[in-house]
Amino acid sequence: MTDPLRDMLADRPALLADGGMGTGLFAQGLVTGDNPELWNVDHPDRVGAVHAGFVAAGSDIILTNSFGGNRYRLKLHGHQDRVRELNVAAARVARRAAEAAGRRVLVGGSIGPTGEILAPLGPCEPADAEAAFAEQARALAEGGVDVLWIETMSAAEEVAAAVRGAAVAGLPIVTTLSFDTGGRTMMGITPRDAVDMAAGLPVRPVAVGANCGVGPNQLLATILAMREADNEAILVAKGNCGIPEFRDGLIHYTGTPEIMATYARLARDAGAKVIGGCCGTTAEHLAAMRRALDTTRPGPAPDIAAIELVLGSLGQQATGRQEGGRAGRRRR
């Protein structure tokens, strides 16, 4: 199995991933309640425009529009029998954008949670979830992705099922979890737990990290804790563009291009090798992040005080080393 992620990192300190696909699709006309994955066949030009914007901004990695492309999530819209069709289409739309870049751009096949609670805490059997992830992974591989990108996870059982399922496609795997204001995932996993868990899986992901969550400062605290747990791991930082605010009937994120540029630089210094944005992150933000990574030299790892100085107080957010409460998770 080839490892294109390590190949690209061989001659550069960090790679720039993409931004918020959901944010981009809403700007293209998606409305709340729509199924984003249907757009891969109904409006591939609009999905492709989001990818093209990320590529033009300098992204080295773009993720397919397939976050909710497993049969459990598609069943909410009555499309559980279209897993292969929608995921193959998602991969091909992203692949076309990557090939039009004029440089090497990797395509990651986005795989999100099932939305189910796995046994023993819930009714979904791990074997059933694994089969759903395998179905999606095969379709993304058929469509031409370079790596399978398992993201926004919160439960150890589901991460394990997703990795086992994705492994059948024979592609490298990346896993990222979403940590909240308590420094843990919704199901109580700490950053150290996440790194240790990834290292102990039968098929070890080539990279592990954090995405979504609360905001860039909390995301950086998570990366510091992960780096402390494993100094050799390839870490992924893909934080939200600030904090969401509801204004005039719409969700707005507080992160400016300047804030996200600072976040990108600090994420690299904290030890992340793949840096991007999640909810709220646009091509404009990514362009600023690209400039920051290209025009500044890597510096010493920041501490929590340095992060708070430039990005604001973590408040009740934990550093990944302390006990904390659990808060709800947001995504799309």
Side-chain angles (χ1 to χ4, degrees):
M1 180 176 63
T2 60
D3 189 343
L5 203 56
R6 289 186 188 274
D7 290 345
M8 289 190 73
L9 283 169
D11 58 358
R12 63 183 82 179
L15 302 177
L16 183 67
D18 62 3
M21 173 55 71
T23 298
L25 293 181
F26 278 118
Q28 290 285 330
L30 185 76
V31 299
T32 302
D34 282 352
N35 183 346
E37 285 72 30
L38 279 184
W39 274 33
N40 296 317
V41 294
D42 293 344
H43 303 291
D45 54 332
R46 300 182 194 179
V47 178
V50 178
H51 289 314
F54 293 154
V55 170
S59 291
D60 299 304
I61 304 168
I62 56 175
L63 303 187
T64 56
N65 177 37
S66 56
F67 177 80
N70 63 72
R71 63 172 43 251
Y72 289 96
R73 293 290 293 268
L74 291 175
K75 186 177 181 179
L76 299 176
H77 302 272
H79 299 300
Q80 64 270 25
D81 295 328
R82 301 179 67 183
V83 172
R84 177 181 173 275
E85 174 196 4
L86 296 176
N87 282 276
V88 169
R92 289 176 176 168
V93 171
R95 174 56 62 196
R96 285 195 293 270
E99 291 179 349
R103 55 186 174 84
R104 191 177 188 192
V105 174
L106 298 183
V107 175
S110 174
I111 297 176
T114 60
E116 304 291 318
I117 299 179
L118 271 61
L121 297 179
C124 182
E125 290 298 325
D128 294 332
E130 180 180 335
F133 288 125
E135 179 184 30
Q136 184 179 13
R138 288 190 181 97
L140 289 167
E142 180 183 347
V145 304
D146 299 296
V147 59
L148 294 167
W149 203 281
I150 299 167
E151 56 176 335
T152 325
M153 291 289 172
S154 65
E157 296 82 6
E158 188 160 31
V159 171
V163 170
R164 289 195 304 268
V168 304
L171 294 175
I173 297 169
V174 171
T175 59
T176 65
L177 290 84
S178 181
F179 298 84
D180 61 30
T181 54
R184 296 171 179 265
T185 70
M186 185 174 66
M187 301 304 288
I189 299 173
T190 67
R192 176 175 288 276
D193 292 338
V195 172
D196 291 344
M197 177 178 60
L201 290 170
V203 177
R204 184 171 182 172
V206 298
V208 62
N211 77 293
C212 204
V214 179
N217 52 359
Q218 180 266 341
L219 198 288
L220 291 173
T222 299
I223 293 298
L224 286 176
M226 287 184 165
R227 175 56 69 216
E228 184 178 286
D230 186 348
N231 194 48
E232 300 299 321
I234 296 177
L235 298 182
V236 177
K238 216 166 181 288
N240 284 350
C241 185
I243 305 299
E245 295 180 346
F246 191 72
R247 301 196 308 267
D248 301 323
L250 298 172
I251 295 294
H252 300 270
Y253 283 80
T254 59
T256 64
E258 293 75 21
I259 287 173
M260 294 303 284
T262 299
Y263 147 76
R265 176 176 55 80
L266 291 176
R268 177 195 61 195
D269 295 347
K273 294 294 186 181
V274 179
I275 301 161
C278 202
C279 303
T281 308
T282 68
E284 181 183 6
H285 296 104
L286 288 169
M289 294 163 67
R290 176 85 272 169
R291 288 191 295 271
L293 293 175
D294 288 347
T295 61
T296 62
R297 294 182 178 180
D303 57 16
I304 296 300
I307 293 171
E308 291 186 321
L309 181 64
V310 293
L311 292 177
S313 173
L314 287 166
Q316 297 300 313
Q317 297 176 31
T319 65
R321 302 185 183 91
Q322 64 190 53
E323 295 297 323
R326 302 175 191 173
R329 176 168 51 92
R330 291 146 296 279
R331 173 72 181 200
R332 203 182 280 170

